[in-house]
Protein backbone atom coordinates (compact mmCIF):
# COMPACT_ATOMS: atom_id res chain seq x y z
CA UNK A 1 0.00 0.00 0.00
CA UNK A 2 2.94 2.35 0.67
CA UNK A 3 4.25 1.60 -2.81
CA UNK A 4 0.79 2.12 -4.35
CA UNK A 5 0.48 5.53 -2.70
CA UNK A 6 4.04 6.52 -3.66
CA UNK A 7 3.64 5.45 -7.31
CA UNK A 8 0.19 6.93 -7.94
CA UNK A 9 1.23 10.26 -6.40
CA UNK A 10 3.76 10.68 -9.22
CA UNK A 11 1.69 9.42 -12.15
CA UNK A 12 -1.37 10.75 -13.93
CA UNK A 13 -4.60 8.70 -13.80
CA UNK A 14 -4.98 6.21 -16.61
CA UNK A 15 -2.63 3.67 -18.16
CA UNK A 16 0.53 4.89 -16.32
CA UNK A 17 -1.11 4.45 -12.91
CA UNK A 18 -2.59 1.10 -13.87
CA UNK A 19 0.79 -0.17 -15.07
CA UNK A 20 2.40 0.93 -11.79
CA UNK A 21 -0.28 -0.84 -9.76
CA UNK A 22 -0.11 -4.14 -11.67
CA UNK A 23 2.51 -5.69 -9.32
CA UNK A 24 0.27 -4.98 -6.33
CA UNK A 25 -2.82 -6.30 -8.11
CA UNK A 26 -0.88 -9.45 -9.04
CA UNK A 27 0.26 -9.99 -5.43
CA UNK A 28 -3.10 -9.55 -3.68
CA UNK A 29 -4.68 -12.90 -4.76
CA UNK A 30 -1.84 -14.84 -3.10
CA UNK A 31 -1.99 -13.18 0.33
CA UNK A 32 -5.10 -14.98 1.73
CA UNK A 33 -3.38 -18.36 1.30
CA UNK A 34 -1.15 -17.39 4.23
CA UNK A 35 -4.07 -18.24 6.57
CA UNK A 36 -5.07 -21.79 7.47
CA UNK A 37 -8.18 -20.51 9.27
CA UNK A 38 -11.29 -20.53 7.08
CA UNK A 39 -12.56 -17.31 8.63
CA UNK A 40 -9.30 -15.39 8.30
CA UNK A 41 -8.73 -16.64 4.77
CA UNK A 42 -12.26 -15.62 3.76
CA UNK A 43 -12.13 -12.17 5.36
CA UNK A 44 -8.69 -11.46 3.89
CA UNK A 45 -9.85 -12.60 0.44
CA UNK A 46 -12.91 -10.37 0.72
CA UNK A 47 -10.85 -7.39 1.89
CA UNK A 48 -7.84 -7.76 -0.40
CA UNK A 49 -8.79 -9.76 -3.49
CA UNK A 50 -12.14 -8.03 -3.94
CA UNK A 51 -12.47 -4.67 -2.19
CA UNK A 52 -8.81 -3.61 -2.23
CA UNK A 53 -8.33 -4.62 -5.88
CA UNK A 54 -11.43 -2.65 -6.93
CA UNK A 55 -10.32 0.38 -4.89
CA UNK A 56 -6.90 0.30 -6.57
CA UNK A 57 -8.50 0.03 -10.01
CA UNK A 58 -10.61 3.09 -9.17
CA UNK A 59 -7.45 4.85 -7.98
CA UNK A 60 -5.80 4.06 -11.32
CA UNK A 61 -8.74 5.79 -13.01
CA UNK A 62 -8.43 8.81 -10.70
CA UNK A 63 -11.57 8.06 -8.70
CA UNK A 64 -12.17 7.55 -4.98
CA UNK A 65 -12.26 6.45 -2.25
CA UNK A 66 -8.43 6.33 -2.32
CA UNK A 67 -6.22 9.28 -3.17
CA UNK A 68 -2.42 9.66 -3.03
CA UNK A 69 -2.78 12.80 -0.89
CA UNK A 70 -4.14 10.75 2.05
CA UNK A 71 -1.73 10.14 4.95
CA UNK A 72 0.01 6.78 4.59
CA UNK A 73 -1.71 5.11 7.55
CA UNK A 74 -5.17 6.20 6.39
CA UNK A 75 -4.41 5.24 2.79
CA UNK A 76 -3.27 1.75 3.81
CA UNK A 77 -6.19 1.21 6.18
CA UNK A 78 -8.82 2.42 3.70
CA UNK A 79 -7.28 0.27 0.96
CA UNK A 80 -6.68 -2.97 2.83
CA UNK A 81 -9.61 -3.01 5.29
CA UNK A 82 -13.35 -3.24 4.56
CA UNK A 83 -13.97 0.34 5.71
CA UNK A 84 -14.89 3.70 4.22
CA UNK A 85 -14.27 7.05 5.88
CA UNK A 86 -17.27 9.37 5.94
CA UNK A 87 -16.93 12.21 3.42
CA UNK A 88 -16.51 15.70 4.85
CA UNK A 89 -19.82 16.88 3.41
CA UNK A 90 -21.65 13.95 5.05
CA UNK A 91 -20.05 14.34 8.46
CA UNK A 92 -22.24 15.77 11.18
CA UNK A 93 -20.90 18.98 12.77
CA UNK A 94 -21.15 17.47 16.25
CA UNK A 95 -18.89 14.53 15.35
CA UNK A 96 -16.01 16.35 13.73
CA UNK A 97 -13.45 16.12 16.51
CA UNK A 98 -10.74 13.46 16.38
CA UNK A 99 -11.07 12.54 20.06
CA UNK A 100 -14.78 11.76 19.77
CA UNK A 101 -14.15 9.76 16.59
CA UNK A 102 -11.60 7.58 18.40
CA UNK A 103 -14.00 6.65 21.20
CA UNK A 104 -16.42 3.77 20.78
CA UNK A 105 -19.90 4.74 21.94
CA UNK A 106 -21.36 2.62 24.77
CA UNK A 107 -24.42 1.87 22.61
CA UNK A 108 -22.11 0.52 19.89
CA UNK A 109 -20.26 -1.72 22.36
CA UNK A 110 -23.47 -3.01 23.96
CA UNK A 111 -25.09 -3.67 20.60
CA UNK A 112 -22.21 -5.79 19.36
CA UNK A 113 -21.82 -7.53 22.70
CA UNK A 114 -25.44 -8.62 22.40
CA UNK A 115 -24.88 -9.77 18.81
CA UNK A 116 -21.79 -11.72 19.88
CA UNK A 117 -23.83 -13.44 22.59
CA UNK A 118 -26.54 -14.39 20.07
CA UNK A 119 -23.88 -15.65 17.66
CA UNK A 120 -22.32 -17.78 20.41
CA UNK A 121 -25.76 -19.19 21.21
CA UNK A 122 -26.33 -20.07 17.55
CA UNK A 123 -22.99 -21.87 17.33
CA UNK A 124 -23.77 -23.77 20.53
CA UNK A 125 -27.20 -24.76 19.18
CA UNK A 126 -25.81 -25.91 15.83
CA UNK A 127 -26.06 -29.54 16.92
CA UNK A 128 -29.87 -29.20 16.83
CA UNK A 129 -29.87 -27.95 13.22
CA UNK A 130 -30.37 -31.40 11.68
CA UNK A 131 -33.65 -31.86 13.51
CA UNK A 132 -35.08 -28.47 12.56
CA UNK A 133 -37.81 -28.03 9.93
CA UNK A 134 -36.69 -26.67 6.57
CA UNK A 135 -37.92 -23.12 7.18
CA UNK A 136 -36.10 -22.98 10.54
CA UNK A 137 -32.84 -24.19 8.95
CA UNK A 138 -33.03 -21.36 6.40
CA UNK A 139 -33.58 -18.76 9.13
CA UNK A 140 -30.86 -20.33 11.28
CA UNK A 141 -28.24 -20.27 8.49
CA UNK A 142 -29.18 -16.74 7.46
CA UNK A 143 -28.81 -15.43 11.02
CA UNK A 144 -25.49 -17.25 11.40
CA UNK A 145 -24.02 -15.70 8.22
CA UNK A 146 -25.32 -12.22 9.06
CA UNK A 147 -23.96 -12.18 12.61
CA UNK A 148 -20.62 -13.71 11.59
CA UNK A 149 -20.11 -11.13 8.84
CA UNK A 150 -21.19 -8.16 10.92
CA UNK A 151 -19.05 -9.13 13.90
CA UNK A 152 -15.93 -9.64 11.79
CA UNK A 153 -16.39 -6.44 9.81
CA UNK A 154 -17.31 -4.42 12.89
CA UNK A 155 -14.14 -5.61 14.63
CA UNK A 156 -12.01 -4.35 11.73
CA UNK A 157 -13.94 -1.07 11.66
CA UNK A 158 -13.60 -0.54 15.43
CA UNK A 159 -9.83 -1.05 15.26
CA UNK A 160 -9.53 1.29 12.28
CA UNK A 161 -11.66 3.92 13.97
CA UNK A 162 -9.45 3.92 17.07
CA UNK A 163 -6.25 4.09 15.00
CA UNK A 164 -7.42 6.64 12.43
CA UNK A 165 -9.59 8.79 14.66
CA UNK A 166 -12.07 9.09 11.78
CA UNK A 167 -15.78 8.59 11.47
CA UNK A 168 -16.55 5.51 9.35
CA UNK A 169 -19.60 4.67 7.30
CA UNK A 170 -21.68 1.75 8.65
CA UNK A 171 -21.07 -1.66 7.13
CA UNK A 172 -24.57 -2.94 7.86
CA UNK A 173 -27.76 -1.05 8.56
CA UNK A 174 -30.22 -3.51 10.12
CA UNK A 175 -30.87 -5.64 7.02
CA UNK A 176 -33.61 -7.49 8.90
CA UNK A 177 -35.74 -4.32 8.46
CA UNK A 178 -35.43 -4.14 4.65
CA UNK A 179 -38.73 -3.53 2.86
CA UNK A 180 -37.57 -4.38 -0.68
CA UNK A 181 -34.71 -6.07 -2.48
CA UNK A 182 -33.29 -2.70 -3.55
CA UNK A 183 -33.43 -1.58 0.08
CA UNK A 184 -31.78 -4.80 1.28
CA UNK A 185 -28.88 -4.88 -1.18
CA UNK A 186 -28.34 -1.19 -1.78
CA UNK A 187 -28.86 0.41 1.62
CA UNK A 188 -28.61 -2.23 4.34
CA UNK A 189 -26.56 -5.37 3.56
CA UNK A 190 -22.71 -5.36 3.53
CA UNK A 191 -22.52 -1.74 2.39
CA UNK A 192 -18.80 -1.87 1.55
CA UNK A 193 -19.68 -3.92 -1.55
CA UNK A 194 -22.09 -1.42 -3.15
CA UNK A 195 -19.62 1.31 -2.15
CA UNK A 196 -17.10 -0.14 -4.62
CA UNK A 197 -19.48 -1.64 -7.18
CA UNK A 198 -21.39 1.62 -7.66
CA UNK A 199 -18.45 3.67 -9.02
CA UNK A 200 -16.60 0.77 -10.68
CA UNK A 201 -19.45 -1.12 -12.38
CA UNK A 202 -22.90 0.43 -12.00
CA UNK A 203 -22.17 4.04 -12.98
CA UNK A 204 -20.02 3.27 -16.08
CA UNK A 205 -22.54 0.71 -17.38
CA UNK A 206 -25.50 2.98 -16.61
CA UNK A 207 -23.86 5.84 -18.55
CA UNK A 208 -23.72 3.65 -21.67
CA UNK A 209 -26.66 1.27 -21.42
CA UNK A 210 -29.09 2.60 -18.81
CA UNK A 211 -29.87 1.98 -15.15
CA UNK A 212 -31.31 -1.52 -15.61
CA UNK A 213 -28.14 -2.74 -17.32
CA UNK A 214 -26.06 -1.09 -14.59
CA UNK A 215 -27.94 -2.94 -11.85
CA UNK A 216 -27.72 -6.26 -13.70
CA UNK A 217 -23.98 -5.80 -14.33
CA UNK A 218 -23.28 -4.93 -10.67
CA UNK A 219 -25.10 -8.04 -9.45
CA UNK A 220 -23.35 -10.21 -12.05
CA UNK A 221 -19.92 -8.95 -10.97
CA UNK A 222 -20.89 -9.50 -7.34
CA UNK A 223 -21.86 -13.08 -8.16
CA UNK A 224 -18.57 -13.76 -9.94
CA UNK A 225 -16.56 -12.31 -7.05
CA UNK A 226 -18.53 -14.46 -4.60
CA UNK A 227 -17.54 -17.49 -6.69
CA UNK A 228 -13.91 -16.41 -6.20
CA UNK A 229 -14.50 -16.10 -2.45
CA UNK A 230 -16.02 -19.60 -2.38
CA UNK A 231 -12.82 -20.93 -3.88
CA UNK A 232 -10.81 -19.28 -1.10
CA UNK A 233 -13.22 -20.71 1.48
CA UNK A 234 -13.13 -24.28 0.20
CA UNK A 235 -9.81 -24.39 -1.71
CA UNK A 236 -11.72 -26.68 -4.07
CA UNK A 237 -12.43 -25.48 -7.64
CA UNK A 238 -15.29 -27.99 -7.81
CA UNK A 239 -17.30 -25.91 -5.35
CA UNK A 240 -17.45 -22.95 -7.76
CA UNK A 241 -20.47 -24.35 -9.59
CA UNK A 242 -22.06 -21.11 -10.77
CA UNK A 243 -24.95 -21.40 -8.32
CA UNK A 244 -23.79 -18.35 -6.37
CA UNK A 245 -23.54 -16.32 -9.58
CA UNK A 246 -27.06 -17.50 -10.47
CA UNK A 247 -28.27 -16.33 -7.04
CA UNK A 248 -26.98 -12.79 -7.61
CA UNK A 249 -28.09 -12.70 -11.25
CA UNK A 250 -31.59 -13.68 -10.11
CA UNK A 251 -31.64 -10.96 -7.46
CA UNK A 252 -30.32 -8.41 -9.95
CA UNK A 253 -33.17 -9.26 -12.34
CA UNK A 254 -35.68 -9.02 -9.48
CA UNK A 255 -34.33 -5.61 -8.39
CA UNK A 256 -34.71 -4.39 -11.99
CA UNK A 257 -38.26 -5.76 -12.15
CA UNK A 258 -39.07 -4.25 -8.75
CA UNK A 259 -37.90 -0.81 -9.89
CA UNK A 260 -39.74 -1.13 -13.21
CA UNK A 261 -42.99 -1.98 -11.42
CA UNK A 262 -42.71 0.99 -9.07
CA UNK A 263 -41.87 3.40 -11.91
CA UNK A 264 -44.73 2.12 -14.06
CA UNK A 265 -47.18 2.34 -11.17
CA UNK A 266 -46.08 5.93 -10.54
CA UNK A 267 -46.11 6.93 -14.22
CA UNK A 268 -49.48 5.37 -15.04
CA UNK A 269 -51.04 6.40 -11.73
CA UNK A 270 -52.17 2.84 -11.04
CA UNK A 271 -54.33 2.29 -8.00
CA UNK A 272 -51.78 0.01 -6.42
CA UNK A 273 -51.25 0.06 -2.72
CA UNK A 274 -47.86 -0.96 -1.35
CA UNK A 275 -47.96 -3.65 1.35
CA UNK A 276 -47.57 -2.66 4.95
CA UNK A 277 -44.02 -2.34 6.19
CA UNK A 278 -44.15 -5.52 8.26
CA UNK A 279 -45.53 -7.50 5.31
CA UNK A 280 -42.95 -6.03 2.91
CA UNK A 281 -40.13 -6.89 5.32
CA UNK A 282 -41.38 -10.45 5.78
CA UNK A 283 -41.71 -10.95 2.00
CA UNK A 284 -38.23 -9.53 1.35
CA UNK A 285 -36.51 -11.67 3.98
CA UNK A 286 -38.44 -14.76 2.89
CA UNK A 287 -37.30 -14.28 -0.72
CA UNK A 288 -33.67 -13.64 0.26
CA UNK A 289 -33.44 -16.60 2.64
CA UNK A 290 -35.43 -18.93 0.38
CA UNK A 291 -33.35 -18.28 -2.74
CA UNK A 292 -30.22 -18.24 -0.57
CA UNK A 293 -30.98 -21.73 0.72
CA UNK A 294 -31.62 -22.91 -2.84
CA UNK A 295 -28.57 -21.38 -4.56
CA UNK A 296 -26.17 -19.61 -2.15
CA UNK A 297 -25.84 -22.17 0.66
CA UNK A 298 -26.05 -25.25 -1.57
CA UNK A 299 -22.30 -25.48 -2.36
CA UNK A 300 -21.45 -24.95 1.32
CA UNK A 301 -23.72 -27.64 2.73
CA UNK A 302 -23.00 -30.07 -0.11
CA UNK A 303 -19.26 -29.96 0.61
CA UNK A 304 -19.70 -30.17 4.38
CA UNK A 305 -18.00 -26.81 4.78
CA UNK A 306 -20.71 -25.58 7.15
CA UNK A 307 -19.59 -28.18 9.71
CA UNK A 308 -15.95 -27.09 9.36
CA UNK A 309 -16.92 -23.44 9.84
CA UNK A 310 -18.91 -24.24 12.97
CA UNK A 311 -16.09 -26.39 14.35
CA UNK A 312 -13.69 -23.47 13.89
CA UNK A 313 -16.13 -21.12 15.66
CA UNK A 314 -16.46 -23.59 18.54
CA UNK A 315 -12.67 -23.83 18.81
CA UNK A 316 -12.35 -20.05 18.89
CA UNK A 317 -15.00 -19.70 21.60
CA UNK A 318 -13.33 -22.45 23.64
CA UNK A 319 -10.06 -20.54 23.34
CA UNK A 320 -11.75 -17.34 24.57
CA UNK A 321 -13.39 -19.19 27.45
CA UNK A 322 -10.09 -20.74 28.53
CA UNK A 323 -8.33 -17.37 28.25
CA UNK A 324 -11.07 -15.79 30.37
CA UNK A 325 -10.73 -18.40 33.10
CA UNK A 326 -6.93 -17.98 33.13
CA UNK A 327 -7.26 -14.21 33.34
CA UNK A 328 -9.72 -14.55 36.23
CA UNK A 329 -7.40 -16.95 38.03
CA UNK A 330 -4.44 -14.62 37.53
CA UNK A 331 -6.49 -11.70 38.88
CA UNK A 332 -7.30 -13.63 42.06
CA UNK A 333 -3.58 -14.24 42.64
CA UNK A 334 -2.74 -10.53 42.47
CA UNK A 335 -2.25 -8.80 45.86
CA UNK A 336 -5.20 -6.65 46.91
Amino acid sequence: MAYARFATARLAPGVPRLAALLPVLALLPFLPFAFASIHLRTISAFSLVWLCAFKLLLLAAGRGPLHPSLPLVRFAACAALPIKVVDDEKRKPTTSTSSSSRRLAPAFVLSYAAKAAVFAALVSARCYREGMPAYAVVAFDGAHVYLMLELFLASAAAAARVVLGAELEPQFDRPYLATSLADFWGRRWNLMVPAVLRPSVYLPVRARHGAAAGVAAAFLVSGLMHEVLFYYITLDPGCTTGEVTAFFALHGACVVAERWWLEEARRRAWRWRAPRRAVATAMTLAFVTGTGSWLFFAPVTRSGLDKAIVAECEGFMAFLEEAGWKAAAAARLLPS
Side-chain angles (χ1 to χ4, degrees), residues 68-115:
S69 64
L70 291 174
L72 176 58
V73 174
R74 177 171 291 196
F75 182 96
C78 292
L81 296 176
I83 62 171
K84 184 181 179 183
V85 177
V86 175
D87 297 332
D88 290 338
E89 58 269 18
K90 294 181 181 179
R91 186 178 293 114
K92 298 178 182 179
T94 57
T95 60
S96 59
T97 63
S98 176
S99 59
S100 63
S101 296
R102 290 181 186 273
R103 291 195 299 267
L104 298 178
F108 174 89
V109 176
L110 290 174
S111 171
Y112 281 94
K115 290 174 182 178

Side-chain angles (χ1 to χ4, degrees), residues 181-228:
L181 291 176
D183 185 33
F184 181 88
W185 292 114
R187 293 182 288 272
R188 293 186 180 275
W189 179 266
N190 201 357
L191 298 176
M192 297 301 101
V193 171
V196 298
L197 288 180
R198 189 174 292 111
S200 61
V201 179
Y202 172 72
L203 293 178
V205 175
R206 187 188 70 172
R208 290 177 174 268
H209 305 290
V215 170
F219 273 90
L220 179 61
V221 171
S222 179
L224 294 173
M225 293 308 300
H226 276 83
E227 295 281 359
V228 173

